[in-house]
Each structure stands twice: as structure tokens, then as C-alpha cells.
Amino acid sequence: QTVAANLVVGRPLQMLPRSVAPSRAIVIGGGVAGVSIARELARKGVGVTLLEKAGQLCAGATWHAAGLVTRFGGSPKIKKVHVRALREMTALHEAHDIGLHITGSIRLIEKGNPDRLTEAKQHVAMAALYDDPGLPTTLITPEEVAALHPLVDTSGVDAGVFTPRDGDVDPTLLTTCVAGLAKADGAEFVHNAEVETIERRSDGTFEVRTGAGAVFEADAVVNAAGLWSRRFSRQLGLEQTHPAFVIEHQYAITETIPALKGKVGDGERVPVLRDLAGSSYIRQERDGLLVGPYEGLLSPGEQTKVRTEWAEGPPSHFAFDLFPPSLDRLQGCL
């Protein structure tokens, strides 16, 4: 999993007058980051061409994403970004149905960890400053946790941080929807256009060349290539400020849970859980649960596996592939 998007222009950003904006931009990558940036640029009148190596969108990290979307944020800036994103997605869902499930979410605070409880109180106070006053984040009791999510064993829970009006989204539906809006605003999407090289010219413009020999010119390049983003950062001398790596991440999906059977509509689904002691996210997947631990933190003898041999990304065909299952690595988190 990676999150990687950076903007490259002919001169350092701090040297550009506020009135200067690129007239032509190339976005590399057709995942949710690239498509969203393409839409924003097109809405502002920039001529945008998005290059996607595959024959369809979401052929990479976006397809692998669990789709969690939250109003929670560990800092004021991230909090503001998350709140704005939820507002945008809620509006998109109401107009287009992007598979947004508004369940709310609970961060579980385990007993015997006073530092975690102090941190939780700080997050609640920060949310009061930077979130919608009508959607307060609250510290809730174990009994309230159980009432919201009956599957939680609260015997080891001290409290929960409940964030309303967030949940999870279908990454493919979201990306496809935003792509349609970007095209309506004038953005051009080119598929089967795997970028090979980016060259910065002496006049500050860029030449982007694909493996098929097509050449595109632009005033600015957005590297939103996700799993393959380090390659382009290296070509532009930016790899030291763009530390994106491919890691292995195991997850599990349960069989049908009777308590969840048939409860898939709005207002029926259980909240997303973030089990801090277990280093896991847990959300409803149809009538079961999806559990995604970060096993390197808790499983004895296991470490998060960084694919160092993929320094510039996995093979081009690795878009919808999965690593072999290794659920034993998750035992320390479950």
C-alpha cells in the first residue's frame, strides 16, 4: 500500500507568483489520487491529460485499498483534509452513489493504558475545534461501545472515541465517478499509456514519453503513480523526498456472521473499528467483517515486509494480484 502524489513544476513552488498557473499538466496514474487531482485541475481551467498504464482505472493501490474514510485526524491539518473529503464524498454519493457507507467509527482504548486515554481526550478536544459542531467526536463508555457495535467484547475496553458520519467507500465506484466529472470538465484520459521517462527541459517544461513511443509535453507533471511512483521521482531527482515503498499487508474476511446477516443497508451496518491495541482496522464486508492488522507491530517474530527488491515498484502486470495468504502472521493482532 502506498500513498504518493507530488507536483513537479519548472521552478520551485516558492518562486512562482500567485498568478502563475500551468496551462498544461500531465497526471501519471489513474487511481483515486490521480483522478481527483485531474478533476481539480480541470475545474480550474488547466488543460489536463491523465496517463494510465493499464486499460482501466484503479489498476494498482486503489484497487487494493480497504476504502476506509474518516473524519478523524491526528493533527489539525489532516483533520481539515479528512473533514473536507467526507463532505465531498457525501455530496458525490447523494448525486451518483459511490458506495459510501456512513456508519461512524470507534477507536477502542484498552484498559491499563493511561497514555492512550490521555491521547484520546486530546483528539476529542481537537475535533471540537476543527470539525462540524453538529457532528461532535465524543469519548464513550464501554457500554456505549457495545450498544453501537454488539460484536465487541468490551471486557478489556476502557473507552472509545466515536466519530460520527464517516465509514467506508467503494474505491472503484468513487474513482470512476470522479473520472467522469473530470472528463466533463475537459480532462483527457489516455489508457494503455505506461510512462517510461520524464525529462525536465531547460525552459522548465516537461517531456513525458510512454513505452509505446508517444510523447506528451506539459508545464507541470503530477506523479500519482502509487506503487510505481518512486521510479518517476528518481528520474527527477526527488527520490530522497518521496519515500514510498511497497509493503506486504495481510487481511482476512470472515464468513457470514449471523448478527450481521441482512444488515447491509444505511443505518443497519456496524461502525468501523480501529483496535489500537491490536493494530487493526475492522469494518463490515457484506454480512461479515474485514480485519486488516499491521502484523509487524504485534506478531512475535514477524515484521512488516518491505519489498526492497521492488525499489521502483512491482512488475507492471502487478495491478490486481495478491500476495500468497499467510494468516499465521496475524495471530498476534487477533
Side-chain angles (χ1 to χ4, degrees), residues 17-35:
R18 289 184 177 274
S19 60
V20 173
S23 60
R24 300 166 300 164
I26 297 292
V27 177
I28 304 173
V32 67
V35 167

Side-chain angles (χ1 to χ4, degrees), residues 131-204:
D131 205 341
D132 187 332
L135 300 171
T137 295
T138 54
L139 195 66
I140 60 176
T141 66
E143 292 74 23
E144 291 172 312
V145 170
L148 289 167
H149 201 310
L151 297 177
V152 176
D153 176 4
T154 59
S155 60
V157 174
D158 193 17
V161 177
F162 177 62
T163 304
R165 300 295 299 173
D166 62 8
D168 63 272
V169 71
D170 184 315
T172 300
L173 287 180
L174 171 61
T175 304
T176 302
C177 173
V178 176
L181 296 173
K183 292 175 184 177
D185 285 324
E188 178 186 10
F189 283 54
V190 182
H191 293 276
N192 298 307
E194 183 170 5
V195 173
E196 286 288 336
T197 60
I198 307 172
E199 180 182 347
R200 192 197 308 258
R201 294 169 169 169
S202 59
D203 63 357

